[in-house]
Amino acid sequence: LILNLFSLNQAKAQTIADFSTISPTVRIVAYDGGYNGQFFPHSAGSGTLISKDGLILSNNHVIQDNLDHILKAFLICFSIKNNQEPVCEYTARLVARSIKQDLALLKIDPTDIRGNPITGLPSLNYLNDAQPKVGDKITITGFPDIGGSTITSTEGTISGFSDSQDFGDVSLFKSSTAVSSGNSGGTVQDASGNFIWAKAMGGTEND
C-alpha cells in the first residue's frame, strides 16, 4: 500500500521539517482496491486535526463508498502555505465512525511514506464553549473541488438551525457560506477562532 501511494505522489515529493507550520485543516484522499491489486483514488474530502498525536475529524461519507463500505486506504495531505499545493506524503487509518451522524475519526500513522517521523502536529480544540447563534460569522476551510487543489477559506454567516432528527442528538445549523464537494469534513470556525463542526452538503445553504 505504501509503495502504491508513493508511486502516485513521488512527482510532488516534499519533506516537511517543521509540522508546527502546517494548517490543522488537511486534505483526505480515500483509495479503493482494484482487481489487479492496485489502489486508485475513489474520493477526496477534508478533515481537521483535533489532537497533537494526529487524530483527524471528518465526515463518514468521505471514507466510505456508495454501499457504505469503508474504503481501503487514506492519504493525508498537509498545507504549509495557502498558495501552494498540499504535501501528500502521509497515511492514516480509521479509528471510529458514525454512519448516522456522518462522522469519521482517523489517526495519522506515526511516519510518512518514506519512514520519517511525524511530530509536533498543530490541532484545534474541539472541547470549547462556542455557542453558535443566527447571524454569527463563520469561516469554512477545506479543499473544495473548484478553484484548484490549494487550501481554501470562505466566509459567511449562520442563517438558521435545522430541526431534522436524521443525525441523532446533534445540533445542525444552516449557513450562507459557499462550499462545494471536497469541503466535506472541513474546518468550521467562529469569529473567535473556536472550532465548530459542520456537514458540508454543497450549494449555498448547508447543514
Side-chain angles (χ1 to χ4, degrees), residues 15-19 78 90 108-121:
T15 299
I16 296 177
D18 182 3
F19 287 94
F78 295 143
Y90 312 92
I108 295 175
D109 293 324
T111 59
D112 64 19
I113 60 176
R114 303 168 186 279
N116 299 313
I118 303 171
T119 58
L121 290 168

Side-chain angles (χ1 to χ4, degrees), residues 40-198:
F40 59 91
H42 177 277
S43 57
S46 305
T48 304
L49 285 163
I50 60 170
S51 73
K52 295 187 180 303
D53 61 350
L55 284 175
I56 300 171
L57 182 64
S58 186
N59 285 139
N60 179 68
H61 70 262
V62 172
I63 59 90
Q64 70 174 25
D65 62 18
N66 295 332
L67 299 176
D68 293 344
H69 298 147
I70 299 171
L71 293 164
K72 304 296 184 184
F74 308 103
L75 185 68
I76 305 300
C77 307
F78 295 143
S79 282
I80 304 174
K81 295 183 178 179
N82 291 347
N83 62 348
Q84 294 180 355
E85 291 191 14
V87 181
C88 300
E89 297 263 310
Y90 312 92
T91 55
R93 59 183 173 83
L94 181 65
V95 175
R97 69 172 182 151
S98 169
I99 296 176
K100 185 175 181 62
Q101 296 184 345
D102 196 23
L103 288 170
L105 195 63
L106 302 176
K107 178 72 178 293
I108 295 175
D109 293 324
T111 59
D112 64 19
I113 60 176
R114 303 168 186 279
N116 299 313
I118 303 171
T119 58
L121 290 168
S123 62
L124 291 179
N125 178 21
Y126 64 95
L127 296 173
N128 56 59
D129 297 325
Q131 297 291 331
K133 302 182 297 297
V134 172
D136 284 356
K137 292 182 179 181
I138 61 171
T139 301
I140 297 179
T141 305
F143 294 86
D145 59 359
I146 57 174
S149 58
T150 55
I151 195 169
T152 302
S153 293
T154 54
E155 295 182 349
T157 59
I158 294 176
S159 56
F161 289 84
S162 172
D163 59 0
S164 171
Q165 300 299 313
D166 292 345
F167 300 96
D169 187 21
V170 174
S171 178
L172 303 177
F173 63 82
K174 297 178 284 186
S175 170
S176 61
T177 314
V179 296
S180 70
S181 177
N183 271 117
S184 293
T187 306
V188 183
Q189 293 172 281
D190 64 16
S192 299
N194 292 310
F195 173 51
I196 13 180
W197 178 80

Side-chain angles (χ1 to χ4, degrees), residues 21-34:
T21 64
I22 70 172
S23 169
T25 304
V26 301
R27 185 169 189 256
I28 302 170
V29 183
Y31 285 78
D32 206 352

